[in-house]
């Protein structure tokens, strides 16, 4: 028996799923490739590995049933289908209409299983990762989540928290959740925020480290969170924001999902920029998915409290609509940036002043922030600019490393590796009725911006004018009739240079020499 099978025979906890997500994604890619070519042998082999990896997952069982249906003996396919139904795949219409299962439709057992799925869909799940019981409680009280309150979302690669809370106060932050992910190192005084609900994990979740570092859960309510942790030693030292954009970039998609489901996160930048950093600004990109703060532990508290102040200042109907449309986090981002001291109006907001790599200590006009939130009506809620397309085509490229570091709807990043001195990027925006494009970070004057119509722009970059501690950030803004400009989306352009005093090793090809 191989090692993978031995692992699978052990009972899985929901806490085991994060470590198995990478292999699941690999197998899913192999399965899709085999499906496109009609390679049923490979499909079946991959599905068996998927079942071994995640024995309680209904989707892998169902895919195995579909793959086995191409073989003469229908028994194994029907066995897999029955197990998939038991584990939660209970859509009788989808099962009956699936073209991969057409070979089974004349089998009486298949018809029985379709009826069985219809019967079982009205019964609670008792097995597998979808068998979840919502945690209950009241807003303003601490809620503890255990494994039985969490499902695993394979599409995003994160937990899906099931909560059902009731209101027992009229506090301004009623409906908001607070999650600390640094073992209380930088803990908010929750009692200062009436109505705010603190979320914790049970003992096993904490022992597994599932409440540490960057977020890993979707919630049905707005979340305000912080984490004062960083990787301080070794070659790959970095803050959590820089890690999310470099060494742990596979989590950036989840961060976008959290952003668009009303989660607001604050992390210290520590040594990745001034005032603590001695290497300058070593970020290779920025995103709107969190607030990075200058300094170390507790520097995050100021902006966390500012975000909570904005949340409790909104009119009830405005707050309700922001949450419904998944616009709470982008709107708070916009208000925080507009409330920075020195940002006086649209001209400042659409320029570098409002979009620092990390936000300065005590940098806000807090009364202006609260007033702006309180005055916003539903009709004034601004849209989110979406990066509908970012294209570039170097004429020469000897590098084996890709230039695209990540691409998400509101942030994408490139490391310019091709030898072309001049690079051109065409950017197309969506999500609003009117758009603005601005270069908001370009210390060395390397970029030139040209509008290309209502919803597009071109930025031309002199690659030779960039250094590993001086990148280009282009911001894209959107607004509708009656609204102001919304939160920015970013396109970041950086370079690596192993001969420079500092160049991020996470972005440097291994075959290039390092600085002495």
């Amino acid at each position: 028996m191989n090692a993978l099978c031995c692992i699978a025979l052990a009972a899985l906890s929901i806490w085991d799923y994060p470590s198995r997500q990478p292999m699941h994604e690999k197998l899913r890619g192999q399965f899709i490739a085999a499906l496109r070519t009609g390679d049923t042998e490979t499909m079946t082999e991959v599905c068996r590995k998927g079942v071994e990896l995640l024995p309680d997952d209904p989707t892998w069982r169902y895919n195995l049933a579909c793959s086995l249906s191409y073989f003469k003996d229908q028994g194994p396919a029907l066995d897999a289908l029955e197990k998939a139904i038991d584990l939660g795949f209970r859509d009788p219409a989808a099962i009956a209409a699936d073209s991969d299962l057409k070979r089974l439709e004349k089998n009486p057992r298949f018809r029985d299983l379709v009826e069985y799925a219809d019967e079982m869909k009205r019964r609670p799940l008792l097995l597998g990762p979808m068998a979840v019981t919502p945690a209950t409680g009241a807003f303003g009280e601490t809620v503890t989540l255990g494994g039985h309150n969490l499902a695993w979302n394979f599409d995003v690669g994160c937990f899906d928290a099931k909560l059902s809370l009731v209101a027992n106060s009229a506090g301004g932050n009623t409906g908001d959740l607070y999650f600390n992910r640094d073992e209380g190192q930088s803990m908010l005084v929750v009692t200062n925020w009436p109505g705010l609900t603190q979320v914790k994990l049970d003992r096993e979740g904490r022992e597994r480290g599932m409440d540490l570092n960057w977020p890993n859960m979707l919630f049905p309510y707005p979340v305000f969170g912080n984490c004062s942790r960083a990787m301080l030693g070794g070659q790959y030292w970095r803050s959590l924001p820089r890690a999310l954009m470099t060494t742990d970039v596979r989590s950036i998609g989840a961060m976008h999902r959290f952003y668009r489901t009303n989660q607001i996160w604050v992390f210290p930048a520590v040594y990745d920029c001034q005032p603590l950093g001695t290497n300058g600004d070593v970020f290779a990109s920025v995103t709107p998915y969190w607030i990075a703060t200058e300094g170390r532990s507790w520097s995050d508290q100021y902006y966390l409290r500012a975000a909570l102040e904005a949340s409790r200042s909104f009119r009830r109907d405005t707050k309700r609509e922001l949450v419904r449309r998944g616009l709470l986090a982008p709107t708070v981002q916009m208000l925080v940036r507009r409330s920075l001291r020195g940002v006086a109006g649209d001209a400042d907001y659409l320029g570098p002043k409002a979009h620092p790599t990390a936000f300065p200590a005590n940098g806000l006009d807090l009364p202006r922030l609260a007033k702006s939130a309180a005055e916003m009506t539903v009709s004034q809620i601004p849209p989110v600019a979406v990066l509908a397309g970012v294209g570039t085509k170097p004429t020469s490229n000897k590098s084996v490393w890709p230039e695209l570091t990540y691409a998400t709807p509101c942030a994408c990043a490139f490391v310019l590796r091709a030898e072309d001195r001049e690079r051109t990027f065409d950017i197309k925006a969506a999500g609003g009725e009117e758009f603005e494009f601005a270069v908001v970070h370009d210390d060395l004057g390397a970029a030139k911006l040209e509008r290309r119509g209502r919803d597009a722009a071109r930025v031309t970059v002199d690659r030779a004018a960039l250094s590993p501690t001086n990148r280009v950030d282009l911001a894209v803004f959107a607004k509708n009739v009656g609204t102001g400009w919304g939160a920015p989306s970013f396109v970041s352009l950086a370079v690596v240079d192993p001969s420079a005093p500092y160049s991020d090793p996470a972005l440097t090809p291994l075959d290039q020499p390092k600085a002495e």
Side-chain angles (χ1 to χ4, degrees):
M1 184 179 291
N2 61 42
L4 181 60
C5 187
C6 291
I7 292 173
L9 290 177
L12 279 188
S13 161
I14 193 67
W15 307 117
D16 293 317
Y17 278 75
S19 63
R20 299 188 179 214
Q21 178 74 12
M23 178 57 72
H24 163 78
E25 292 178 358
K26 179 179 179 180
L27 292 174
R28 181 169 58 184
Q30 294 174 355
F31 176 75
I32 292 172
L35 181 64
R36 287 172 176 166
T37 61
D39 185 350
T40 56
E41 292 284 352
T42 300
M43 287 166 55
T44 303
E45 179 184 356
V46 171
C47 286
R48 291 192 188 281
K49 291 180 179 179
V51 169
E52 290 174 349
L53 180 73
L54 301 169
D56 294 332
D57 174 48
T59 302
W60 275 119
R61 293 279 181 174
Y62 184 77
N63 288 338
L64 179 60
C66 292
S67 301
L68 290 171
S69 71
Y70 287 88
F71 295 91
K72 184 176 181 180
D73 184 0
Q74 297 183 346
L78 293 167
D79 290 342
L81 178 59
E82 182 173 2
K83 185 64 174 177
I85 294 170
D86 288 336
L87 291 172
F89 201 103
R90 298 176 177 180
D91 187 339
I95 294 171
D98 196 321
S99 60
D100 288 322
L101 300 177
K102 287 295 183 183
R103 294 161 185 78
L104 306 178
E105 63 182 3
K106 293 183 180 180
N107 190 309
R109 187 181 170 197
F110 177 75
R111 295 193 292 270
D112 290 342
L113 287 175
V114 173
E115 293 179 2
Y116 179 57
D118 186 53
E119 175 189 350
M120 291 297 289
K121 72 179 182 181
R122 292 180 287 273
R123 298 184 183 183
L125 280 167
L126 301 176
L127 298 172
M130 299 171 64
V132 180
T133 302
T136 59
F139 289 115
E141 301 174 357
T142 299
V143 174
T144 300
L145 297 177
H148 58 287
N149 308 126
L150 302 169
W152 182 252
N153 188 314
F154 286 104
D155 292 332
V156 184
C158 69
F159 295 106
D160 199 342
K162 304 301 181 182
L163 281 169
S164 181
L165 304 179
V166 297
N168 66 353
S169 74
N173 288 106
T174 296
D176 295 337
L177 309 181
Y178 170 62
F179 203 144
N180 173 270
R181 299 190 60 86
D182 59 24
E183 296 181 319
Q185 182 171 320
S186 180
M187 178 67 74
L188 180 77
V189 181
V190 179
T191 53
N192 289 341
W193 303 89
L196 185 62
T197 300
Q198 183 173 357
V199 177
K200 295 182 178 180
L201 299 188
D202 67 5
R203 179 177 178 180
E204 183 179 1
R206 296 194 305 273
E207 289 176 347
R208 294 283 197 107
M210 297 297 167
D211 61 344
L212 297 177
N213 301 329
W214 42 85
N216 60 1
M217 293 184 185
L218 289 165
F219 288 90
Y221 306 108
V223 175
F224 295 77
N226 67 318
C227 179
S228 284
R229 288 168 63 90
M231 296 73 168
L232 298 180
Q235 183 182 14
Y236 296 101
W237 59 269
R238 62 203 57 230
S239 64
L240 291 189
R242 187 155 70 108
L244 282 164
M245 296 182 288
T246 53
T247 54
D248 293 274
V249 72
R250 65 187 308 273
S251 297
I252 200 76
M255 292 304 301
H256 170 261
R257 180 68 68 90
F258 300 148
Y259 177 65
R260 289 310 312 271
T261 55
N262 307 307
Q263 295 197 28
I264 298 160
W265 289 90
V266 189
F267 309 111
V270 199
Y271 301 111
D272 289 344
C273 65
Q274 292 81 8
L276 299 183
T278 59
N279 297 290
D281 181 351
V282 298
F283 281 89
S285 58
V286 289
T287 85
Y289 301 149
W290 53 76
I291 296 173
T293 62
E294 292 181 355
R296 59 186 71 176
S297 294
W298 283 93
S299 67
D300 51 323
Q301 283 286 318
Y302 176 81
Y303 285 91
L304 175 64
R305 294 193 295 265
L308 284 164
E309 183 65 37
S311 180
R312 73 179 179 183
S313 298
F314 287 120
R315 294 166 38 150
R316 289 188 179 181
D317 59 337
T318 301
K319 173 81 169 286
R320 185 166 52 248
E321 187 66 11
L322 285 168
V323 172
R324 186 187 72 82
R325 291 162 57 185
L327 292 174
L328 181 63
T331 302
V332 169
Q333 274 276 2
M334 178 273 293
L335 290 172
V336 166
R337 293 168 187 270
R338 277 192 174 276
S339 299
L340 284 167
R341 294 192 181 98
V343 176
D346 279 356
D348 289 335
Y349 180 64
L350 299 176
K353 289 183 179 180
H355 311 289
T357 301
F359 287 75
N362 304 315
L364 295 175
D365 182 341
L366 291 173
R368 176 152 55 101
L369 172 69
K371 183 174 184 291
S372 298
E375 292 177 347
M376 181 178 291
T377 64
V378 170
S379 63
Q380 293 172 334
I381 295 173
V384 173
V386 175
L387 300 174
V390 181
T392 183
K393 189 176 182 181
T395 58
S396 63
N397 189 0
K398 295 182 179 179
S399 173
V400 297
W401 274 41
E403 292 194 311
L404 181 64
T405 306
Y406 58 84
T408 61
C410 297
C412 68
F414 295 83
V415 176
L416 308 186
R417 304 184 189 279
E419 295 180 348
D420 306 56
R421 172 160 183 162
E422 186 175 273
R423 295 294 301 277
T424 299
F425 289 79
D426 289 314
I427 300 153
K428 190 173 180 61
E433 297 171 346
E434 186 177 345
F435 302 94
E436 189 64 53
F437 300 81
V439 176
V440 296
H441 189 176
D442 182 17
D443 295 342
L444 301 180
K448 294 180 180 179
L449 181 66
E450 175 190 359
R451 287 300 295 263
R452 308 282 286 186
R454 182 186 69 88
D455 58 356
R458 171 173 290 177
V459 61
T460 302
V461 180
D462 181 355
R463 179 179 175 276
L466 294 179
S467 76
T469 54
N470 291 278
R471 68 181 183 278
V472 167
D473 292 325
L474 181 82
V476 184
F477 307 88
K479 71 176 182 178
N480 294 329
V481 174
T483 78
W485 295 106
S489 293
F490 293 105
V491 178
S492 296
L493 310 172
V495 298
V496 292
D497 180 2
S499 64
Y502 179 82
S503 190
D504 193 343
L507 301 175
T508 304
L510 300 179
D511 58 352
Q512 290 191 16
K514 304 295 190 298
E516 294 296 332

